[in-house]
Amino acid sequence: EVWRLFNELSDAGISRIYKDRENSANLDNAQTRLSNEFRDFENGEVLMMGVSLRVFLNPLGPFYRDIETMLRNADGRVRIRALICDPKNFDIPVRATIEETGREPAHKPQIERDIESSVVTVGALDSSVGNYIKLSFYMTAPYCTTIIFPHVCYYSPNLLAPRAPVGLPMILFRSGSHGYKMIRASFEYLWP
């Protein structure tokens, strides 16, 4: 049974599944692996897509320093295209209602603040390390977070849920696999 599952995952282009995208006591976890991926990446394009990408574009987040170091060290050899949700997207108020029950109507929803913060952070990174990040917005709602390197795609599904992150698996698709191609095609479709 285990070999059958292994073969099916391999046939689908899945090279690894982590139980979630969080750091853990186990050194082999999705957060550590993705941090290493950013630090070791020296040449090419990284595609990022998520509702706000706050985990990646917040100076206090676990990946910000890795991304900043990657861009600084590459000196233009690495470029990032990042897609985040348009603040005018009709799903923003729905998401805010679900994620922030009891929020006073006078207070701006956290999701809106996260999107604004990501925009500001990209501008600050461009000023400090060079104009190596392009940011675009989408109106559709692909409830996932993806980080696409030329050789591997990190994919984590999201849901509208009262807790963020929702603790769903982080799936790694190898380049050339159907999953990798479909996720990249979705990114490219939304980019313009």
Side-chain angles (χ1 to χ4, degrees):
E1 185 68 12
V2 170
W3 282 111
R4 182 188 64 75
L5 288 171
F6 176 76
N7 285 332
E8 287 179 5
L9 293 172
S10 181
D11 288 347
I14 298 172
S15 59
R16 181 65 198 258
I17 298 177
Y18 291 98
K19 71 180 183 76
D20 57 36
R21 64 184 196 188
E22 303 304 305
N23 200 1
S24 71
N26 180 355
L27 294 178
D28 185 15
N29 61 73
Q31 185 173 312
T32 300
R33 178 142 181 196
L34 189 49
S35 282
N36 290 338
E37 200 79 61
F38 283 122
R39 283 196 304 267
D40 295 341
F41 193 67
E42 296 177 345
N43 191 14
E45 184 176 54
V46 178
L47 309 178
M48 303 170 69
M49 178 171 59
V51 175
S52 70
L53 294 175
R54 89 178 145 70
V55 172
F56 300 90
L57 298 175
N58 181 323
L60 301 177
F63 302 107
Y64 178 82
R65 297 224 184 288
D66 300 324
I67 292 169
E68 181 183 41
T69 300
M70 174 186 68
L71 292 172
R72 189 178 309 282
N73 291 346
D75 196 29
R77 292 184 314 275
V78 171
R79 304 265 179 189
I80 294 175
R81 283 193 289 154
L83 268 170
I84 60 176
C85 192
D86 191 305
K88 297 180 213 95
N89 184 308
F90 294 114
D91 289 326
I92 295 296
V94 173
R95 188 176 182 107
T97 299
I98 291 170
E99 292 179 352
E100 297 181 79
T101 54
R103 177 184 47 82
E104 294 293 324
H107 294 111
K108 183 181 270 194
Q110 183 63 46
I111 186 63
E112 289 181 28
R113 293 193 312 258
D114 289 344
I115 291 169
E116 290 172 0
S117 175
S118 291
V119 171
V120 169
T121 300
V122 167
L125 274 170
D126 280 350
S127 295
S128 68
V129 300
N131 192 16
Y132 306 133
I133 301 180
K134 290 183 181 168
L135 185 64
S136 190
F137 299 93
Y138 60 83
M139 288 298 286
T140 58
Y143 285 106
C144 64
T145 300
T146 63
I147 308 299
I148 307 169
F149 292 91
H151 61 287
V152 65
C153 171
Y154 290 74
Y155 170 84
S156 183
N158 294 340
L159 295 171
L160 286 176
R163 198 182 67 165
V166 295
L168 294 173
M170 173 74 81
I171 303 167
L172 279 62
F173 290 96
R174 70 177 172 274
S175 177
S177 69
H178 179 71
Y180 182 100
K181 290 175 186 175
M182 293 304 292
I183 294 166
R184 178 151 188 150
S186 176
F187 180 95
E188 296 296 354
Y189 175 79
L190 294 172
W191 179 255

